[in-house]
């Protein structure tokens, strides 16, 4: 097989893999529309995709206003979680006693349901932005911390021993060996955390607040405007996909060698 043929085959495979989910989503939307039109499910319980799209367009200004509040909370929580994850993972990797003391607490944060923590945070911290940011930090902290810790542990021990023999300091070993080896796992955790941040913001807004997609969703649910409720779900899905794609772009910028190896394969 010539190089041109190989490139054509690779391009066709990428095109097919990108087209497959689009076709599946299209089929699901058609089935959904038919179920609504044929009365399989009442429209007040399951509005059709066209009704959801009409509600999305009609309430777009209000959705954007509430989305701005939710995204502010999500970015504040996610940014804080990133800084906290790096700090805790570094200390856990550097000091065995810290790891033994903190690791069970990190695991414990994932054993309590988010909806159980949120009311307590509202009770303790009020109805402002602080309890929402704290909930997002708790939600996003775990995947990034575990990813970083696993990445630090995956560093080549021979490379570390060689740098120690050359007189490298612990900080130099961390910067030039452990940190690069952890980027793959970190960005994997960040993809999860980015989508969790939006969901965490919405969940926290269900329990108290004045603006945000969660507040808007509660209001339209109470008025039985389920087409608008599905419109909010659509917007949350779009925002999550955009955030995940943004993380992928950041990963390609931070780790260009992974993109080049993927193109070669």
């Amino acid at each position: 097989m010539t190089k041109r043929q190989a490139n054509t085959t690779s391009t066709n495979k990428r095109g097919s893999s990108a087209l497959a989910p689009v076709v599946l989503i299209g089929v699901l939307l058609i089935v959904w529309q038919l179920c609504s039109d044929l009365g399989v499910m009442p429209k007040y319980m399951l509005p059709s995709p066209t009704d959801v799209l009409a509600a999305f367009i009609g309430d777009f200004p209000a959705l954007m206003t509430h989305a701005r509040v939710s995204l502010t909370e999500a970015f504040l929580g996610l940014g804080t979680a990133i800084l906290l994850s790096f700090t805790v993972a570094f200390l856990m990797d550097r000091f065995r006693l810290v790891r033994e003391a903190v690791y069970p607490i990190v695991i414990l944060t994932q054993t309590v349901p988010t909806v159980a923590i949120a009311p307590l945070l509202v009770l303790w911290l009020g109805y402002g932005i602080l309890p929402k940011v704290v909930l997002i930090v708790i939600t996003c902290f775990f995947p990034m911390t575990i990813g970083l810790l696993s990445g630090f542990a995956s560093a080549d021990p021979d490379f570390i021993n060689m740098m120690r023999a050359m007189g490298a300091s612990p900080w130099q070993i961390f910067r030039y060996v452990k940190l690069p080896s952890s980027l793959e796992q970190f960005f994997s955790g960040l993809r999860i955390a980015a989508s969790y941040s939006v969901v965490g913001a919405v969940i926290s807004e269900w329990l108290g607040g004045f603006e945000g997609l969660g507040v808007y969703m509660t209001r339209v649910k109470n008025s039985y405007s389920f087409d608008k409720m599905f419109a909010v779900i659509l917007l949350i899905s779009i925002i999550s996909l955009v955030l995940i794609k943004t993380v992928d772009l950041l990963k390609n910028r931070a780790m260009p060698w992974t993109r080049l190896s993927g193109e070669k394969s």
Side-chain angles (χ1 to χ4, degrees):
M1 182 183 293
T2 64
K3 184 176 181 179
R4 179 178 296 180
Q5 290 174 329
N7 290 336
T8 302
T9 302
S10 178
T11 302
N12 292 336
K13 287 181 178 179
R14 286 197 296 267
S16 300
S17 59
L19 186 61
V22 175
V23 172
L24 179 59
I25 292 174
V27 171
L28 292 175
L29 288 175
I30 292 172
V31 173
W32 179 4
Q33 183 70 44
L34 289 174
C35 289
S36 180
D37 292 341
L38 297 175
V40 177
M41 288 286 288
K43 281 200 172 186
Y44 67 87
M45 294 180 60
L46 183 66
S48 67
T50 53
D51 293 334
V52 173
L53 183 60
F56 184 86
I57 296 172
D59 270 22
F60 189 77
L63 287 172
M64 291 300 100
T65 301
H66 289 285
R68 175 179 54 81
V69 176
S70 296
L71 284 175
T72 300
E73 297 164 354
F75 288 147
L76 285 174
L78 183 60
T80 305
I82 291 173
L83 294 176
L84 188 61
S85 297
F86 267 102
T87 303
V88 172
F90 172 76
L91 293 175
M92 290 172 66
D93 178 74
R94 183 73 179 83
F95 303 104
R96 183 176 61 84
L97 183 61
V98 174
R99 180 188 177 103
E100 293 176 353
V102 175
Y103 191 81
I105 299 176
V106 174
I107 300 298
L108 185 63
T109 61
Q110 298 304 296
T111 61
V112 182
T114 305
V115 292
I117 301 175
L120 295 176
L121 294 177
V122 172
L123 178 65
W124 295 334
L125 304 175
Y127 290 94
I129 193 174
L130 184 57
K132 301 170 180 60
V133 172
V134 171
L135 181 66
I136 295 167
V137 171
I138 294 173
T139 305
C140 299
F141 172 74
F142 178 78
M144 290 187 293
T145 303
I146 296 301
L148 284 168
L149 198 60
S150 300
F152 296 157
S154 67
D156 189 347
D158 294 332
F159 199 4
I160 294 175
N161 291 332
M162 181 187 70
M163 291 195 67
R164 284 174 179 163
M166 296 173 65
S169 65
W171 168 249
Q172 289 174 322
I173 294 174
F174 174 80
R175 179 181 177 184
Y176 295 109
V177 183
K178 291 191 172 185
L179 185 59
S181 69
S182 69
L183 289 179
E184 182 75 35
Q185 290 91 335
F186 166 70
F187 280 108
S188 297
L190 183 58
R191 292 177 87 251
I192 299 171
S195 60
Y196 279 5
S197 65
V198 181
V199 176
V202 172
I203 291 175
S204 63
E205 290 164 353
W206 284 350
L207 301 170
F210 307 101
E211 286 185 299
L213 291 175
V215 175
Y216 178 85
M217 182 179 287
T218 302
R219 290 173 182 170
V220 297
K221 182 194 70 172
N222 292 337
S223 63
Y224 298 96
S225 301
F226 292 114
D227 54 342
K228 295 180 180 180
M229 191 168 179
F230 274 90
V232 181
I233 295 173
L234 173 62
L235 180 58
I236 294 172
S237 300
I238 293 173
I239 292 173
S240 297
L241 290 173
V242 170
L243 290 177
I244 290 173
K245 184 62 178 178
T246 302
V247 172
D248 290 339
L249 294 176
L250 291 174
K251 178 183 175 181
N252 290 336
R253 293 293 300 272
M255 305 174 62
W257 58 88
T258 58
R259 185 180 69 254
L260 295 175
S261 62
E263 292 175 354
K264 290 180 180 179
S265 60

